[in-house]
Amino acid sequence: EAGVVQSPRYKIIEKKQPVAFWCNPISGHNTLYWYLQNLGQGPELLIRYENEEAVDDSQLPKDRFSAERLKGVDSTLKIQPAELGDSAVYLCASSGGDEQYFGPGTRLTVT
Amino acid sequence: GNSVTQMEGPVTLSEEAFLTINCTYTATGYPSLFWYVQYPGEGLQLLLKATKADDKGSNKGFEATYRKETTSFHLEKGSVQVSDSAVYFCALSGYTGTASKLTFGTGTRLQVTL
């Protein structure tokens, strides 16, 4: 069974540019999460989807971040415009129950 | 709110040494507790879990026991290997609706040398 797929794995952009990350969860998993992981820290939840509905986006900085999961399967997280402080690893996870399964993450560097 | 506190790293051990990584938590209700491991360049992998008090989770020689009286979930391994070098995250889940919301500690880096 394929795991959570994320792309790209690495992205380098200049500040003020837009960037998008893509995630395909494990087949059949209705719940999808986006996390932010800063260097030396644990992941912090940005947004959680139940199917296509965002049920917890309280930690998402909505002035520059947006996310969508239009058909309740794969999801895209966007930052526009990016700032230097957005440099981090963006993790996607999915769940069909109590356990969450993580993708490899996208490492973003903003210069 | 929920929180997880882990011992700071790095923890440096020689191969075959005994490992303990401390984890304590603050939570309302009765959360499930997890240990995740992150190898260099990879995503987090679930190592073990425990869903109620006195449960012991175990996997790949690692163990952790859910201690409600001390609100702890310390990770142990009797004999570490170089391949165990990674970052270990303690986490707890607080249910919101039908899915769990994980709160992570800051992670503890383990370095095992020959």
Side-chain angles (χ1 to χ4, degrees), chain B residues 48-50 52 54-58 63-67 73:
Chain B
L48 54 83
K49 71 174 186 178
K52 61 183 186 296
D54 300 325
D55 265 4
K56 177 185 285 187
S58 61
E63 294 182 340
T65 301
Y66 191 142
R67 300 288 188 197
F73 193 55

Side-chain angles (χ1 to χ4, degrees), chain B residues 23-70:
Chain B
C23 170
T24 57
Y25 67 91
T26 302
T28 55
Y30 303 96
S32 294
L33 301 174
F34 305 83
W35 277 101
Y36 281 83
V37 58
Q38 188 173 33
Y39 297 102
E42 298 184 15
L44 279 75
Q45 300 174 26
L46 179 64
L47 181 59
L48 54 83
K49 71 174 186 178
T51 58
K52 61 183 186 296
D54 300 325
D55 265 4
K56 177 185 285 187
S58 61
N59 186 27
K60 299 180 181 179
F62 291 89
E63 294 182 340
T65 301
Y66 191 142
R67 300 288 188 197
K68 186 171 181 291
E69 64 276 13
T70 55

Side-chain angles (χ1 to χ4, degrees), chain A residues 4-97:
Chain A
V4 176
V5 179
Q6 291 188 249
S7 68
R9 291 293 311 276
Y10 305 90
K11 188 74 175 179
I12 301 174
I13 61 171
E14 293 183 348
K15 62 182 180 182
K16 300 185 182 180
Q17 295 301 305
V19 64
F21 315 125
W22 177 80
C23 172
N24 193 39
I26 292 172
S27 177
H29 282 190
N30 294 329
T31 308
L32 184 147
Y33 308 79
W34 283 103
Y35 287 88
L36 166 69
Q37 186 178 19
N38 286 305
L39 186 65
Q41 300 295 316
E44 299 174 20
L45 181 68
L46 288 172
I47 189 168
R48 176 170 66 95
Y49 281 94
E50 292 290 341
N51 298 302
E52 66 274 12
E53 182 181 359
V55 297
D56 184 355
D57 62 355
S58 58
Q59 301 302 311
L60 189 72
K62 299 181 182 65
D63 56 336
R64 297 183 300 108
F65 287 66
S66 64
E68 60 183 17
R69 192 184 185 200
L70 293 176
K71 296 182 179 179
V73 180
D74 58 343
S75 176
T76 302
L77 178 69
K78 299 178 181 178
I79 308 174
Q80 182 171 10
E83 296 179 353
L84 294 176
D86 296 331
S87 295
V89 176
Y90 292 82
L91 295 168
C92 180
S94 70
S95 173

